[in-house]
mmCIF file of all heavy atoms in Angstrom:
data_model
loop_
_atom_site.group_PDB
_atom_site.id
_atom_site.type_symbol
_atom_site.label_atom_id
_atom_site.label_comp_id
_atom_site.label_asym_id
_atom_site.label_seq_id
_atom_site.Cartn_x
_atom_site.Cartn_y
_atom_site.Cartn_z
ATOM 1 N N SER A 380 11.578 -10.193 19.788
ATOM 2 C CA SER A 380 12.399 -8.982 19.885
ATOM 3 C C SER A 380 11.813 -7.920 19.017
ATOM 4 O O SER A 380 11.728 -6.739 19.405
ATOM 5 C CB SER A 380 13.844 -9.307 19.448
ATOM 6 O OG SER A 380 14.462 -10.111 20.332
ATOM 7 N N LYS A 383 9.017 -6.197 20.747
ATOM 8 C CA LYS A 383 9.490 -5.256 21.751
ATOM 9 C C LYS A 383 9.934 -3.989 21.133
ATOM 10 O O LYS A 383 9.666 -2.871 21.678
ATOM 11 C CB LYS A 383 10.662 -5.915 22.529
ATOM 12 C CG LYS A 383 10.078 -7.068 23.427
ATOM 13 C CD LYS A 383 11.190 -7.518 24.248
ATOM 14 C CE LYS A 383 10.698 -8.694 25.243
ATOM 15 N NZ LYS A 383 11.734 -9.141 26.081
ATOM 16 N N LEU A 387 8.930 0.152 21.740
ATOM 17 C CA LEU A 387 9.899 1.254 21.844
ATOM 18 C C LEU A 387 9.593 2.427 20.873
ATOM 19 O O LEU A 387 9.693 3.503 21.185
ATOM 20 C CB LEU A 387 11.358 0.734 21.660
ATOM 21 C CG LEU A 387 11.752 -0.293 22.771
ATOM 22 C CD1 LEU A 387 13.179 -0.746 22.429
ATOM 23 C CD2 LEU A 387 11.851 0.373 24.167
ATOM 24 N N VAL U 42 17.656 -6.060 16.162
ATOM 25 C CA VAL U 42 16.522 -5.924 17.084
ATOM 26 C C VAL U 42 16.816 -6.506 18.437
ATOM 27 O O VAL U 42 16.347 -6.119 19.389
ATOM 28 C CB VAL U 42 15.191 -6.605 16.560
ATOM 29 C CG1 VAL U 42 14.684 -5.922 15.359
ATOM 30 C CG2 VAL U 42 15.432 -8.124 16.279
ATOM 31 N N GLN U 43 17.785 -7.491 18.486
ATOM 32 C CA GLN U 43 18.067 -8.106 19.720
ATOM 33 C C GLN U 43 18.870 -7.209 20.701
ATOM 34 O O GLN U 43 18.853 -7.388 21.915
ATOM 35 C CB GLN U 43 18.877 -9.412 19.490
ATOM 36 C CG GLN U 43 18.015 -10.479 18.804
ATOM 37 C CD GLN U 43 18.815 -11.487 18.078
ATOM 38 O OE1 GLN U 43 19.966 -11.772 18.503
ATOM 39 N NE2 GLN U 43 18.270 -12.072 17.041
ATOM 40 N N GLU U 44 19.482 -6.111 20.071
ATOM 41 C CA GLU U 44 20.299 -5.209 20.919
ATOM 42 C C GLU U 44 19.425 -4.380 21.934
ATOM 43 O O GLU U 44 19.875 -4.087 23.002
ATOM 44 C CB GLU U 44 20.960 -4.217 20.059
ATOM 45 C CG GLU U 44 22.058 -4.749 19.115
ATOM 46 C CD GLU U 44 22.558 -3.816 18.132
ATOM 47 O OE1 GLU U 44 22.292 -2.558 18.243
ATOM 48 O OE2 GLU U 44 23.124 -4.219 17.066
ATOM 49 N N VAL U 45 18.210 -4.093 21.570
ATOM 50 C CA VAL U 45 17.384 -3.218 22.319
ATOM 51 C C VAL U 45 16.197 -3.851 23.010
ATOM 52 O O VAL U 45 15.475 -3.273 23.727
ATOM 53 C CB VAL U 45 16.888 -1.957 21.508
ATOM 54 C CG1 VAL U 45 17.929 -0.956 21.322
ATOM 55 C CG2 VAL U 45 16.290 -2.402 20.218
ATOM 56 N N ALA U 46 15.973 -5.159 22.678
ATOM 57 C CA ALA U 46 14.813 -5.952 23.167
ATOM 58 C C ALA U 46 15.110 -6.387 24.627
ATOM 59 O O ALA U 46 15.290 -7.475 24.782
ATOM 60 C CB ALA U 46 14.449 -6.987 22.264
ATOM 61 N N GLN U 47 15.028 -5.483 25.515
ATOM 62 C CA GLN U 47 15.366 -5.776 26.961
ATOM 63 C C GLN U 47 14.131 -6.544 27.560
ATOM 64 O O GLN U 47 13.036 -6.421 27.100
ATOM 65 C CB GLN U 47 15.549 -4.589 27.794
ATOM 66 C CG GLN U 47 16.589 -3.615 27.153
ATOM 67 C CD GLN U 47 17.987 -4.122 27.081
ATOM 68 O OE1 GLN U 47 18.363 -5.082 27.772
ATOM 69 N NE2 GLN U 47 18.775 -3.520 26.206
ATOM 70 N N ALA U 48 14.447 -7.293 28.566
ATOM 71 C CA ALA U 48 13.445 -8.175 29.331
ATOM 72 C C ALA U 48 12.299 -7.316 29.815
ATOM 73 O O ALA U 48 11.108 -7.792 29.833
ATOM 74 C CB ALA U 48 14.082 -9.027 30.287
ATOM 75 N N ASP U 49 12.545 -6.046 30.211
ATOM 76 C CA ASP U 49 11.475 -5.277 30.847
ATOM 77 C C ASP U 49 10.610 -4.473 29.805
ATOM 78 O O ASP U 49 9.688 -3.855 30.179
ATOM 79 C CB ASP U 49 12.043 -4.273 31.851
ATOM 80 C CG ASP U 49 12.997 -3.367 31.099
ATOM 81 O OD1 ASP U 49 13.604 -3.653 29.948
ATOM 82 O OD2 ASP U 49 13.356 -2.220 31.651
ATOM 83 N N VAL U 50 10.853 -4.697 28.481
ATOM 84 C CA VAL U 50 10.028 -4.085 27.509
ATOM 85 C C VAL U 50 8.972 -5.066 27.075
ATOM 86 O O VAL U 50 9.259 -6.185 26.626
ATOM 87 C CB VAL U 50 10.804 -3.747 26.223
ATOM 88 C CG1 VAL U 50 9.945 -3.082 25.170
ATOM 89 C CG2 VAL U 50 11.953 -2.694 26.655
ATOM 90 N N SER U 51 7.556 -4.701 27.208
ATOM 91 C CA SER U 51 6.603 -5.634 26.821
ATOM 92 C C SER U 51 6.406 -5.574 25.266
ATOM 93 O O SER U 51 6.623 -4.500 24.652
ATOM 94 C CB SER U 51 5.316 -5.156 27.491
ATOM 95 O OG SER U 51 4.971 -3.929 27.188
#
Side-chain angles (χ1 to χ4, degrees):
Chain A
S380 297
K383 289 183 175 182
L387 297 174
Chain U
V42 291
Q43 293 159 29
E44 293 168 19
V45 284
Q47 312 295 339
D49 60 339
V50 179
S51 59

